[in-house]
Amino acid sequence: MKKLIISTILLFCVIYLTDGQRKTINLPDLPGYVTLKCDFHIHTIFSDGNVWPTVRIDEALRDGLDAIAITDHLEYTPKKDYIPVDHNAAWSISETYAKERNLILIHGTEITRKMPPGHFNALFIKDANLLAVDSVMDAYKAAIKQGAFLQWNHPGWRSQEPDGIPKLYPAHKIMLEKGWIHGIEYFNDSEFYPLVMTFCKQYNLTVTANSDVHGIISERYPQPDYTNRPMTLVFAKERNHDSLKEAMFAGRTLVYFRDILAGKEEYAKPYFYQCISVSKPFHQTEKSIYFEVVNNSDIPFYLINGIAGTPGSITLAANATTRIVAGSKVQFPLVYDVRNIITGEKEVLKVELKY
Amino acid sequence: MKKLIISTILLFCVIYLTDGQRKTINLPDLPGYVTLKCDFHIHTIFSDGNVWPTVRIDEALRDGLDAIAITDHLEYTPKKDYIPVDHNAAWSISETYAKERNLILIHGTEITRKMPPGHFNALFIKDANLLAVDSVMDAYKAAIKQGAFLQWNHPGWRSQEPDGIPKLYPAHKIMLEKGWIHGIEYFNDSEFYPLVMTFCKQYNLTVTANSDVHGIISERYPQPDYTNRPMTLVFAKERNHDSLKEAMFAGRTLVYFRDILAGKEEYAKPYFYQCISVSKPFHQTEKSIYFEVVNNSDIPFYLINGIAGTPGSITLAANATTRIVAGSKVQFPLVYDVRNIITGEKEVLKVELKY
Amino acid sequence: MKKLIISTILLFCVIYLTDGQRKTINLPDLPGYVTLKCDFHIHTIFSDGNVWPTVRIDEALRDGLDAIAITDHLEYTPKKDYIPVDHNAAWSISETYAKERNLILIHGTEITRKMPPGHFNALFIKDANLLAVDSVMDAYKAAIKQGAFLQWNHPGWRSQEPDGIPKLYPAHKIMLEKGWIHGIEYFNDSEFYPLVMTFCKQYNLTVTANSDVHGIISERYPQPDYTNRPMTLVFAKERNHDSLKEAMFAGRTLVYFRDILAGKEEYAKPYFYQCISVSKPFHQTEKSIYFEVVNNSDIPFYLINGIAGTPGSITLAANATTRIVAGSKVQFPLVYDVRNIITGEKEVLKVELKY
Amino acid sequence: MKKLIISTILLFCVIYLTDGQRKTINLPDLPGYVTLKCDFHIHTIFSDGNVWPTVRIDEALRDGLDAIAITDHLEYTPKKDYIPVDHNAAWSISETYAKERNLILIHGTEITRKMPPGHFNALFIKDANLLAVDSVMDAYKAAIKQGAFLQWNHPGWRSQEPDGIPKLYPAHKIMLEKGWIHGIEYFNDSEFYPLVMTFCKQYNLTVTANSDVHGIISERYPQPDYTNRPMTLVFAKERNHDSLKEAMFAGRTLVYFRDILAGKEEYAKPYFYQCISVSKPFHQTEKSIYFEVVNNSDIPFYLINGIAGTPGSITLAANATTRIVAGSKVQFPLVYDVRNIITGEKEVLKVELKY
């Protein structure tokens, strides 16, 4: 028996997630919805990526995702001398593999053109080969015909927009009029585009964040220094493909990368309150009142601009309880700006702490 | 705005818990009880430890504990040439410091004698100096008079029992008759004593696990390789000093170290079921049925001895969802032994998986 | 200026090796030779691996290797529905890529047959397609004709030898007579075969250790818990392809995995002395003599079986100086066994410490 | 035998440095000198620190230091209700402990006054109690009488200089005239003072960097995110107390913290060239020339301001080889600024790469 336990003790340091295990990302649901963690922009060897499609499923599970789209380029296939072009190959290879692992796989592809209109992902399609046509507008039309959600990728990508700022060209205005832009990336790989917040409000677009990974995801976002890959949080009615699609068209998303959360205030505000809870004071002196805030999420929150008598700034560390000491005469609720919850091009979320 | 966010992004990698922040250990409560994480055996410079008492409070918060006892030796004070002996000094220094940080501090001391009877901690006392008397039985009596919980420390400590096996000497039998042994350590520092499980059952003792730390706790249990220090999980009616004391005398504990949980089956079994949940099958083929087990705790569980048609062994990784593929004809519930939940000297917990 | 430096300070935590940077593995040379760190067994998508060939070059650089062989299976190409079979494809894709990064790339392939004779790598070949013939002996002959070094892979692989023990079948004896077995793996992935030490001595074979990686190397040997992938240390006259080949045929190798070094005593003994140096005593009392051993390598050495008056066991931590306290009357040299330097099926290296 | 090796393999993941083991910091010597890594500013429970003095020796060994000074405050002893004041106590407790571990211990104390003149460390003293006098100038005089090296601590400390900028008050000018300021801190804890570089040049002062640690050093500079504590690199003729003292008075130092090296160009320039070596080109095309730079030190170097035809910026990663691709017509040497080697208030080191 003693032997058995000793070996148990030694074993513990070699436990890593293996095939079929999905990390729990500690992020809450919204009332009435389940929070699906998604990456809608991923490459494989079937365009200019470096891994076989099933690797993307394994990576997604290990990273705790619920859904991914593999979106190889239609127009850029640099490995074609060795791998004959079939835009549905990654989908065929992965479909059953994902199903057996309870990962929602979205059939997608990237329509890859010069700016304007730039790169767009067609998501929830049925046959990518039908989108491989000359005219870009014909490609979008073919996607729409399949019921696609069209996502404008990295709209301020510096290879296409040297100043890093997304611009609405006539082509985009035409697409908007036709209802052919449904979503837009705020985070892509290590870039982000503040102006996207404004576009989302003006044109009622769904905000997304994706990795656009070409290499190995665990090397691009190495542990333990970095916390997570860029991901879109989708508030779906249920955890399945069709509910996810419905939520995407309905715009129920926030985006999450490193320690930043961004999106519409309508989702960001209740989400913050789902993450934290404020205790009654546990200690009081003549001068001070002591209470605690529990942050039950993987995201630290940086509160700033506290008023006199309260701490000027507070870090609510992730998965931790933070003690707050305020003046005994202070009026609740305490009001703060959350520096790392972005709700507009130049706005962060304003919150209230009360018990 | 862009500047602001960039600095936010860079900040994320230097966030550590600071004064007044308590890590969340992800371990569930039992219905009707709150799980308090406790360390009842700790030293400071007031005996042979190397740190000032308030360091122990800071360490406990950072490690996610709810309660600690500082238990300096009464009979061994090697620093007395520099630090005059006062067995209540650590308590006086720490009492307010702990209260302001919402950590439950237990007044304690270690009665440190040769084996038998060995070392005993007196916990929940009022004045340690009154226990510094010649006769060990008088010391226990003085502790009991203060309402103490007496814990037999490291009963098989190799410095006192070269074979590592705890033994019941006449002195212990006398103490048991008088009701002077309430608890006993199963884990102490890096040692553990399988026979303690038998003693707990035979004499109705409360099982405990403690660090017995003398140096720096974060160096003794360094991250990221090791997960946690030894701790006692106490199932208390509320999170306060008196509820904790009541639960200790009532024996409502489990012990936790590295990836091992141990204690009475009456608590271990419901605790396991609080940690995990089994999903309905998400996929089915002619040959196989696929379902998932969510482990919503920091403890991985190693299931072994699965019957034919089910996986022989399964690791339910901590804070993760594990996919299980069984034969389509298999009968639920699936029965397993949990190799790292110890319920007796030679017994591990038997569990059932069903959805 | 202050701004500049502050940003410098913040930058430091995001430094990872990037394209074209090679980690220094801290392992010494042998006098007259340069130590090349090599992996002679690697797969890509051109057989049953999961990554594009250039990924293997990037991995090797990051891991500090000097040379690798990509050795896709000739007889097992499960991705052929998507990737037409060309056994030289990985070589063509990688050759220039490796040259531009100063990594020695060896043209190789794996002749993949049932046991006996099992799997063999042909290394230093010129055209893998010429080896894709029916008869295994014809395949070997074609390899030899190209000047190949033939390595017996994982000779006790449990999929082919359920007891894990390598066996010399008649086919192997024929090959040995023809001089068609040049090397043999001691470490392969996470397996190892003690008996290989005996084969190496009896038949004068070159001992090797290789990863046999199919997936992502950094996920198979994750940091910071694990230190390194399995590798062959080759003592070459110079750091180039032809010197490496010469050394391999001459048998000048040791193998290294985790914290174990193994191989012929003739190389293991001087190698140990290149790694460590012993200082003169720095302190002396009536009872004790204090001296230091510097271990200037990435390998910790576990010394055991010390005689009376000296420490029974000593760990010479990697890249560290270890203080040794011996009795003042002790006779130098101190004699030890090095538990983690394997020189035979049942032998470890015996060493002497003297200043 | 197999058992033995397996247990060896498992052991490797629990190896940490233990008592008497000193980490190797990979930093080169200068020709004719040995580089001693030192921390001249450290507190214990004998003033306002939180650990027993021997802990500081253990920490220093584990961090790879050669020498430390324990410098408790003379004028600030907040623990005096529990610990009677004796300014030599930490020295008495540590002296033999350090000697037995081959760590150079310097007898020191901190003369702790309001600004001006602020805080000064007296190093290499014989009796700290003799410095505990009312007049600060008398305290300095008593130190000088014992042969002390006087170090101006954190001259721009924000608690004493709210703008963070050191200022030369009349008191300092008097001290400089008397030759009573020998050294000055550039790095202290997480602060640094650019103007110190100017003071060092104008008044020929020795630049130092120290931790000023009060709590646990491994928690203040946690691994693996941070690399090292602030330290002074002293170029001494030999590794002993008196050579160290001679070098300090002679001003042969550089300072090192995180990834920054700072000090006089006269030492910084040869030090950089000791750290790196440039290879001959290993590959050449019509357009490009490929060569490598080995950085054999723990410090990454960030080269900037490269001229046309060469990379604009290059990171020479620590303990790694970096490939450089330049235009084939480029003229050697390549000239760069090293952004993280500070040689003046507004200057960084200029270097040349040639093979």
Side-chain angles (χ1 to χ4, degrees), chain D residues 21-247:
Chain D
Q21 294 191 309
R22 190 170 65 246
K23 184 178 86 167
T24 300
I25 298 177
N26 193 20
L27 289 178
D29 290 330
L30 277 184
Y33 299 110
V34 55
T35 301
L36 302 185
K37 296 105 193 172
C38 311
D39 186 344
F40 299 115
H41 196 163
I42 290 176
H43 295 276
T44 75
I45 54 153
F46 287 99
S47 62
D48 57 344
N50 276 327
V51 304
W52 189 247
T54 56
V55 170
R56 298 308 188 195
I57 315 291
D58 294 338
E59 290 178 338
L61 288 171
R62 203 179 43 221
D63 288 351
L65 299 187
D66 296 286
I68 64 166
I70 296 179
T71 55
D72 280 309
H73 301 288
L74 288 177
E75 296 85 351
Y76 184 55
T77 50
K79 295 174 166 63
K80 62 174 169 288
D81 289 352
Y82 297 93
I83 303 175
V85 170
D86 171 0
H87 301 300
N88 291 321
W91 169 259
S92 317
I93 289 164
S94 314
E95 191 183 5
T96 302
Y97 193 84
K99 196 168 284 168
E100 291 173 353
R101 282 154 184 80
N102 204 15
L103 186 91
I104 301 170
L105 185 68
I106 297 156
H107 197 159
T109 192
E110 184 166 12
I111 304 164
T112 310
R113 306 292 173 119
K114 274 185 291 197
M115 181 69 80
H119 297 194
F120 276 75
N121 273 359
L123 304 172
F124 307 104
I125 60 172
K126 288 174 176 60
D127 184 342
N129 287 327
L130 299 181
L131 277 59
V133 294
D134 274 0
S135 147
V136 65
M137 287 295 163
D138 287 353
Y140 298 147
K141 193 188 246 175
I144 293 292
K145 208 170 150 188
Q146 296 184 24
F149 178 102
L150 284 170
Q151 167 188 278
W152 188 2
N153 298 339
H154 43 70
W157 185 33
R158 286 179 180 274
S159 302
Q160 294 192 327
E161 296 286 8
D163 63 3
I165 299 174
K167 287 162 197 70
L168 278 183
Y169 293 92
H172 298 118
K173 299 206 169 139
I174 291 166
M175 291 179 73
L176 285 168
E177 274 158 35
K178 288 177 185 281
W180 286 5
I181 308 186
H182 305 102
I184 183 167
E185 289 184 339
Y186 180 77
F187 287 115
N188 173 289
D189 190 16
S190 60
E191 289 196 342
F192 76 106
Y193 317 101
L195 194 59
V196 160
M197 284 292 138
T198 302
F199 290 179
C200 284
K201 286 179 197 175
Q202 280 182 318
Y203 302 102
N204 200 22
L205 304 180
T206 302
V207 65
T208 64
N210 303 307
S211 70
D212 201 357
V213 65
H214 288 72
I216 313 302
I217 199 91
S218 61
E219 296 174 359
R220 189 78 187 152
Y221 307 100
Q223 300 293 338
D225 295 279
Y226 285 96
T227 51
N228 61 287
R229 62 202 272 181
M231 66 183 75
T232 308
L233 307 181
V234 183
F235 306 111
K237 288 176 186 156
E238 295 181 63
R239 188 187 187 278
N240 62 46
H241 179 276
D242 292 352
S243 288
L244 170 59
K245 184 172 173 181
E246 183 274 334

Side-chain angles (χ1 to χ4, degrees), chain C residues 41-54:
Chain C
H41 195 162
I42 289 176
H43 295 275
T44 75
I45 55 152
F46 288 98
S47 63
D48 57 345
N50 276 326
V51 304
W52 189 247
T54 57

